[in-house]
């Protein structure tokens, strides 16, 4: 994976997020303020455009400005969380221009660790981490499997579905406490859609 591959992945993710904007709004209206689809669409469209205009080949240097931009253009708790993730990735990929699948998994893992450190959150709390973490574990464990990105996407979907069984402990949704059980977490769906974009680009074709 190089900078051009990364740009294609972002373009695909932005397209998928926008296609699911109304669905994300509906999910967020259950326990949130309903702006999830709007903020995520704005954020991913913005960093997709910004990355496409960049001539930087260093992946770390390419991603760091995207983290800052995403926090500004997706002003929400999830926007801040994903910007933490991008910052963690950028630091891990500093100086690298071409990476393996394993290195991609390690960079994604660095992003997760930064999210958990800064947001004081962990797996099992009905958040985006519940779809991101299982998918990243697959990439790290199955990096030499030709179907790794499909497997990661499936893991993200499964992780997202499991949030129905969880109680919200963060953000506005936490006010609903026990009532949040039985509902699907919108943030986890964003994580699932991110890995759908990765799969459709790196595991199939971005053309």
């Amino acid at each position: 994976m190089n900078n051009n591959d990364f740009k294609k992945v972002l373009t695909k993710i932005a397209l998928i997020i926008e296609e699911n904007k109304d669905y994300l709004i509906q999910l967020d209206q259950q326990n949130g303020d309903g702006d999830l689809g709007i903020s995520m669409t704005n954020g991913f469209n913005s960093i997709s455009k910004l990355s496409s205009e960049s001539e930087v080949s260093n992946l770390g240097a390419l991603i760091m400005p995207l983290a800052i931009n995403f926090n500004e253009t997706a002003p929400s708790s999830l926007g801040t969380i994903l910007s933490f993730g991008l910052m963690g990735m950028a630091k891990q990929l500093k100086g690298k221009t071409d990476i393996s699948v394993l290195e991609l998994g390690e960079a994604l893992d660095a992003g997760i660790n930064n999210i958990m450190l800064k947001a004081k959150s962990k797996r099992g709390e009905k958040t985006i981490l519940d779809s991101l973490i299982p998918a990243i574990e697959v990439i790290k464990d199955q990096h030499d499997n030709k179907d790794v990105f499909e497997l990661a996407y499936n893991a993200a979907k499964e992780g997202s579905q499991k949030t129905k069984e969880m109680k919200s402990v963060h953000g506005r949704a936490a006010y609903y406490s026990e009532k949040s059980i039985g509902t699907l977490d919108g943030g986890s769906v964003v994580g699932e859609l991110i890995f759908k974009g990765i799969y459709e680009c790196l595991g199939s074709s971005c053309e």
Side-chain angles (χ1 to χ4, degrees), residues 37-66:
I38 297 169
S39 64
M40 290 298 102
T41 295
N42 290 344
F44 277 104
N45 280 340
S46 182
I47 64 171
S48 174
K49 182 176 184 294
L50 185 61
S51 70
S52 68
E53 295 170 348
S54 176
E55 297 181 358
V56 175
S57 59
N58 180 316
L59 285 166
L62 171 67
I63 296 172
M64 187 58 78
L66 304 185

Side-chain angles (χ1 to χ4, degrees), residues 124-131 156-168 180-189:
E125 295 179 336
K126 203 179 181 83
T127 71
I128 191 172
L129 294 178
D130 293 304
S131 56
K157 283 195 291 185
E158 183 178 347
S160 177
Q161 286 298 313
K162 286 182 178 179
T163 63
K164 289 182 180 179
E165 307 163 10
M166 302 173 187
K167 180 174 69 175
S168 296
S180 66
I181 297 174
T183 62
L184 187 63
D185 178 65
S188 75
V189 175

